[in-house]
């Protein structure tokens, strides 16, 4: 296997964008320990300096229209942003706030007047901005935000106000130190009527960095991680902005105070506006997966050179990576990282397709669900992987100089920003249950239940019943080839897909039955949905597990001959480890026999041994710049 060939395959069509960011990271070797050695304010200012250098090199411009200094390459922009996660994660997050969220809001929610006035400055870093959505009292529930933007037709201005402490904008990146303007999400009030949440551009600091009249800015202070990002709080006391401050792609207010929108339904209008900002969710999931690659590169290289204990009487101790339990700790996580990498690549391609082609609402909804699920699994995976890598490196992994401590702290928040993962999986499951939501008009518990009552979700399971029956018989009565080879069929792609599809459909069917039964009994729809919430989340998780598996399957089929063989072993390890992790469920539902369950565990062990010789090449293929992973505990000349 050629390591460079595998890296080229992993980089995919956006290799140039990834290499450009790698080169930028390699030019700043100090990034590896800047978070540890600098005081808070100096660290923040250093991150800003590096952000502006990246902007000067044209890195963020890749995703913006050419007429505003960009390159019009959305897929390359996301790929480059993900690659920033190989370096200092505060830089990556600050770039996400500035270019993905602030500039992205201007691009996607604004019109030509906003693009011409602000976009070039935002993309270049000359105009530093905030994305002021989250409030102290309202996180995920954006529709219930308390900040108001009330139109005054006498002056043709909007009055931005924070009516209560709960409506204060909280955890806002760039707010504590550097931001001069904020994209503020507020309830739009025109002529005494509230039209729901809209976004307006509101200046918050003058050229000297002082807060503007009516704007109160406070610092969130030190955090668990990402301290290079100046998170702050913003409150508004009747701050006036001109009518043109409204980002009016989806709704307009004329000088006389007449509100109009081509999207009449307020809920549909709200979800359409938020759907254009899915880029942040796509980016965070990819960044988390790349942070996992950094941790695995460090831990596997360390395990390939660190020796401990050994066979009795032997003069040489054994390498950590030769111990089966060490393989068990790291290699299934490596396999899952590959699986998530390919799922993320599919998501980025779909994101670019949908936004470049301006596809219909159904495509955008499907993209939102795919982004939500991949972000949830990718960020949870990062938390698990970095913790395991830290443990696998013992005391050395606990030292800040070896990066794992910083990675652990900086990625912890990924599971809750750009959408709490539990809420995101609920969104995925609701999408599955409401595939024809026009039947009831609205994504709420009552609508979901009505859909379930009308749509006979059981049909989906019944259509798939034949293969599960065959598989159950196969578990109980091995055929001749099974007798000769107890692993027969366990490395069959169709077998893996069949098991994961069965689980997804069975859980979804169970949710449907419970919702229908509760509604039929006359129970309150909210209570019915709340009782089933854990079941709903399980359905979302099962769906995304299957999607990730099948993305890996497709990647193996499409791989060049030179890398397909090793990818096949890594894929099988991921597939069987995923099934093994849920074997209790499969046993409970008669989907696995005890014998087949034991055979899967035995084969996972064998696959760990098969992948072990290629483990260092597999992490090297991630292409993490040396400065990011050549930490003191890993001596480059000694790892395999």
């Amino acid at each position: 296997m050629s390591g460079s060939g595998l890296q080229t395959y992993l980089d995919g069509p956006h290799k140039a964008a990834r290499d450009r960011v790698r080169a930028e990271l390699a030019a700043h070797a100090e990034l590896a320990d800047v978070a540890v050695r600098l005081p808070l304010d100096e660290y923040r200012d250093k991150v800003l300096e590096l952000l502006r250098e990246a902007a000067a090199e044209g890195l963020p411009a890749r995703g913006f229209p050419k007429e505003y200094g960009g390159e019009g390459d959305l897929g390359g922009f996301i790929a480059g942003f993900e690659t920033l996660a190989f370096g200092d994660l505060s830089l990556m997050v600050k770039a996400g706030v500035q270019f993905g969220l602030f500039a992205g809001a201007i691009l996607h929610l604004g019109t030509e007047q906003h693009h011409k006035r602000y976009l070039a400055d935002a993309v270049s870093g000359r105009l530093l901005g905030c994305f002021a959505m989250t409030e102290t009292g309202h996180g995920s529930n954006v529709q219930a935000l308390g900040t108001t933007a009330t139109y005054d037709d006498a002056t043709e201005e909007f009055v931005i106000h924070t009516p209560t402490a709960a409506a204060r904008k909280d955890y806002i990146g760039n707010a504590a130190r550097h931001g001069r303007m904020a994209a503020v999400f507020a309830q739009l009030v025109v002529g005494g009527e509230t039209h729901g949440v809209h976004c307006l551009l509101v200046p918050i600091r003058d050229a000297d960095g002082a807060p503007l009249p009516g704007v109160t800015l406070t610092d969130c202070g030190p955090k668990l991680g990402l301290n290079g990002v100046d998170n702050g709080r913003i409150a508004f006391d009747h701050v006036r902005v001109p009518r043109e401050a409204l980002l009016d792609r989806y709704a307009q207010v004329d000088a006389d105070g007449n509100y109009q929108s081509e999207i009449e339904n307020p809920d549909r209008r709200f979800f359409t506006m938020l759907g254009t900002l899915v880029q942040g969710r796509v980016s965070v999931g990819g960044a988390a997966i790349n942070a996992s690659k950094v941790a695995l590169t460090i831990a596997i290289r360390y395990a390939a050179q660190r020796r401990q204990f050994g066979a009795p009487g032997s003069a040489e101790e054994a390498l950590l990576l030769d111990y089966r339990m060490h393989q068990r700790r790291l290699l299934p996580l490596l396999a899952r990282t590959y699986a998530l990498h390919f799922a993320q690549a599919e998501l980025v391609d779909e994101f670019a397709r949908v936004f470049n082609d301006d596809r219909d609402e159904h495509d955008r909804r499907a993209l939102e669900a795919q982004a939500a699920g991949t972000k949830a699994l990718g960020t949870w995976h990062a938390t698990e992987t970095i913790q395991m890598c830290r443990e696998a490196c013992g005391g050395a992994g606990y030292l800040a100089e070896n990066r794992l401590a910083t990675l652990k702290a900086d990625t912890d928040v990924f599971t809750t920003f750009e959408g709490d993962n539990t809420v995101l999986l609920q969104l995925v499951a609701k999408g599955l249950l409401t595939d024809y939501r026009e039947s009831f008009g609205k994504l709420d518990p009552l609508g979901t239940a009505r859909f379930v009552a009308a749509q006979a979700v059981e049909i989906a399971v019944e259509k798939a019943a034949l293969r599960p029956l065959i598989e159950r018989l196969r578990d109980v009565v091995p055929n001749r080839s099974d007798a000769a080879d107890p692993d027969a069929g366990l490395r069959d792609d169709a077998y893996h897909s069949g098991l994961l599809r069965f689980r997804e459909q069975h859980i979804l069917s169970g949710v449907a039955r419970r919702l229908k039964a509760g509604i039929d009994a006359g129970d309150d729809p909210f209570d019915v949905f709340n009782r089933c919430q854990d079941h709903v989340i399980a359905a979302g998780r099962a769906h995304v597990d299957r999607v990730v598996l099948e993305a890996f399957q497709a990647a193996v089929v499409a791989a060049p001959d030179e890398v397909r063989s090793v990818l096949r072993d890594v894929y099988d390890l991921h597939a069987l480890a995923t099934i093994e992790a849920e074997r209790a469920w499969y046993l409970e539902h008669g989907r696995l026999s005890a014998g087949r369950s034991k055979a899967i565990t035995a084969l996972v062990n064998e696959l760990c041994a098969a992948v072990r010789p290629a483990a260092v090449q597999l992490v090297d293929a991630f292409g993490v710049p040396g400065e990011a992973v050549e930490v003191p505990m890993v001596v480059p000349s000694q790892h395999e």
Side-chain angles (χ1 to χ4, degrees):
M1 177 189 68
S2 166
S4 60
L6 183 54
Q7 181 179 328
T8 297
Y9 185 57
L10 290 177
D11 282 348
H14 305 299
K15 178 174 175 55
R18 299 181 194 278
D19 284 343
R20 195 168 166 188
V21 175
R22 286 185 180 113
E24 182 70 14
L25 294 175
H28 295 287
E30 74 273 16
L31 279 177
D33 65 345
V34 70
V36 178
R37 60 183 175 80
L38 290 182
L40 181 63
D41 285 344
E42 291 183 35
Y43 180 25
R44 290 172 169 180
D45 290 345
K46 180 64 176 178
V47 169
L48 175 60
E49 175 190 330
L50 294 170
L51 179 82
R52 283 180 163 151
E53 286 186 23
E57 291 292 323
L59 300 185
R62 186 178 288 271
F64 291 88
K66 294 180 180 179
E67 57 265 36
Y68 304 109
E71 300 175 27
D73 178 9
L74 283 173
F77 175 81
I78 299 291
F81 180 84
E82 294 171 357
T83 307
L84 274 177
F86 287 159
D88 181 86
L89 286 169
S90 284
L91 173 60
M92 186 272 300
V93 170
K94 195 172 184 75
V97 169
Q98 174 65 27
F99 307 119
L101 295 178
F102 176 64
I106 296 171
L107 175 64
H108 296 300
L109 299 180
T111 49
E112 186 177 4
Q113 60 170 326
H114 304 106
H115 299 165
K116 286 182 175 179
R117 184 172 180 182
Y118 300 112
L119 204 51
D121 285 343
V123 173
S124 68
R126 292 188 297 270
L127 174 61
L128 297 172
C130 309
F131 186 79
M133 177 183 283
T134 301
E135 294 180 355
T136 303
H138 295 98
S140 298
N141 188 7
V142 178
Q143 271 186 297
L145 293 179
T147 302
T148 57
T150 305
Y151 186 65
D152 181 351
D153 56 7
T155 61
E156 296 186 31
E157 294 174 315
F158 286 102
V159 181
I160 314 301
H161 186 57
T162 304
T164 67
R168 176 189 60 187
K169 298 298 180 181
D170 214 343
Y171 322 120
I172 308 301
N174 270 350
R177 191 171 178 85
H178 299 137
R180 286 175 45 210
M181 178 176 280
V184 178
F185 287 79
Q187 301 287 349
L188 196 72
V189 182
V190 182
E193 182 179 355
T194 300
H195 294 278
V197 173
H198 292 64
C199 186
L200 303 92
L201 295 179
V202 183
I204 59 173
R205 280 189 177 87
D206 63 21
D208 296 323
L212 290 170
V215 179
T216 300
L217 303 171
T218 53
D219 196 329
C220 289
K223 308 182 293 289
L224 176 63
L226 297 175
N227 282 305
V229 183
D230 54 321
N231 292 90
R233 302 181 176 97
I234 312 175
F236 303 98
D237 184 4
H238 297 93
V239 174
R240 289 178 173 269
V241 295
R243 180 171 59 89
E244 294 76 18
L246 176 67
L247 295 178
D248 58 352
R249 178 179 178 182
Y250 295 105
Q252 302 80 39
V253 176
D254 67 20
D256 296 326
N258 298 307
Y259 176 90
Q260 60 182 11
S261 172
E262 293 182 0
I263 307 174
E264 294 183 4
N265 183 287
D267 289 327
R268 182 166 166 257
R269 183 169 60 243
F270 170 77
F271 285 112
T272 298
M273 286 192 288
L274 258 62
T276 64
L277 304 174
V278 71
Q279 177 176 310
R281 205 163 275 166
V282 174
S283 299
V284 168
I289 295 164
N290 273 8
S292 300
K293 295 174 187 177
V294 176
L296 285 163
T297 300
I298 293 170
I300 286 176
R301 286 182 177 181
Y302 179 75
Q305 70 177 48
R306 175 75 157 83
R307 294 182 179 274
Q308 186 164 282
F309 302 112
S314 172
E316 186 175 49
E317 293 183 301
L319 290 169
L320 289 180
L321 200 52
D322 288 336
Y323 285 103
R324 177 54 51 80
M325 195 59 217
H326 212 80
Q327 295 169 7
R328 267 282 193 166
R329 297 168 88 181
L330 295 178
L331 298 186
L333 293 174
L334 174 63
R336 196 193 311 167
T337 302
Y338 265 77
L340 286 164
H341 170 94
F342 291 119
Q344 175 70 10
E346 283 192 356
L347 174 60
V348 170
D349 288 345
E350 181 66 5
F351 171 81
R353 181 189 71 83
V354 168
F355 274 77
N356 284 331
D357 295 348
D358 198 22
R359 294 301 179 102
D360 63 23
E361 185 179 348
H362 180 272
D363 282 353
R364 288 185 179 248
R365 288 203 313 268
L367 174 66
E368 290 165 29
Q370 186 180 357
T374 305
K375 184 268 179 183
L377 262 63
T379 54
W380 271 328
H381 172 69
T383 297
E384 178 186 358
T385 299
I386 294 166
Q387 174 63 25
M388 185 57 73
C389 288
R390 206 295 299 158
E391 293 181 25
C393 293
Y398 199 64
L399 298 178
E401 67 181 9
N402 289 318
R403 280 211 76 190
L404 294 174
T406 302
L407 278 172
K408 180 178 166 69
D410 284 350
T411 58
D412 191 76
V413 75
F414 285 14
T415 59
T416 51
F417 76 25
E418 289 298 327
D420 178 278
N421 285 353
T422 299
V423 176
L424 293 183
L425 284 186
Q426 182 170 294
L427 183 154
V428 172
K430 280 186 174 182
L432 296 172
L433 285 167
T434 56
D435 201 18
Y436 298 98
R437 69 177 179 183
E438 60 269 20
S439 299
F440 52 85
K442 185 177 178 182
L443 266 177
D444 63 6
L446 177 59
T448 299
R450 286 174 176 166
F451 166 75
V452 170
Q455 291 299 324
V457 177
E458 299 297 316
I459 294 174
V461 179
E462 291 170 3
K463 287 181 178 179
L466 182 58
R467 181 171 179 83
L469 175 61
I470 294 171
E471 294 295 341
R472 281 196 293 270
L473 290 173
R474 183 176 177 181
D475 280 347
V476 175
V477 185
N479 60 29
R480 292 176 182 174
S481 61
D482 286 340
D485 179 4
D487 295 341
L490 290 182
R491 299 186 69 168
D492 177 6
D493 289 3
Y495 181 70
H496 306 150
S497 293
L499 280 175
L500 268 65
R501 282 185 176 275
F502 176 82
R503 184 166 186 266
E504 175 188 352
Q505 292 163 354
H506 192 286
I507 295 175
L508 189 61
S509 172
V511 173
R513 288 195 303 271
R514 289 181 65 188
L515 290 171
K516 182 179 184 302
I519 295 299
D520 288 349
D523 295 344
D524 179 77
F526 180 84
D527 289 340
V528 172
F529 194 83
N530 194 41
R531 290 199 300 264
C532 299
Q533 196 169 28
D534 59 327
H535 207 162
V536 169
I537 300 302
R541 177 67 186 252
H543 169 75
V544 184
D545 279 340
R546 192 264 303 166
V547 169
V548 170
L549 177 95
E550 293 182 350
F552 202 171
Q553 285 180 350
V556 174
V557 171
D561 292 342
E562 63 174 311
V563 301
R564 187 179 298 119
S565 177
V566 69
L567 278 182
R568 166 57 60 184
D569 285 342
V570 177
Y571 161 77
D572 284 338
L573 176 56
H574 167 70
L576 291 168
T578 300
I579 294 166
E580 182 189 39
E582 301 294 343
R583 59 182 173 171
W585 187 93
Y586 287 116
L587 286 163
E588 284 178 353
H589 292 81
R591 194 61 185 81
L592 281 182
S593 67
R596 181 57 65 96
S597 176
K598 292 177 182 178
I600 287 173
T601 294
L603 187 50
V604 169
N605 283 338
E606 292 175 21
L607 286 164
C608 283
V611 169
R612 185 267 178 261
V616 172
Q617 286 178 289
L618 286 165
V619 294
D620 286 351
F622 292 146
V624 184
E627 293 76 7
V629 288
E630 289 174 0
V631 295
M633 71 175 175
V634 178
V635 182
S637 62
Q638 291 184 6
H639 70 69
E640 296 178 340

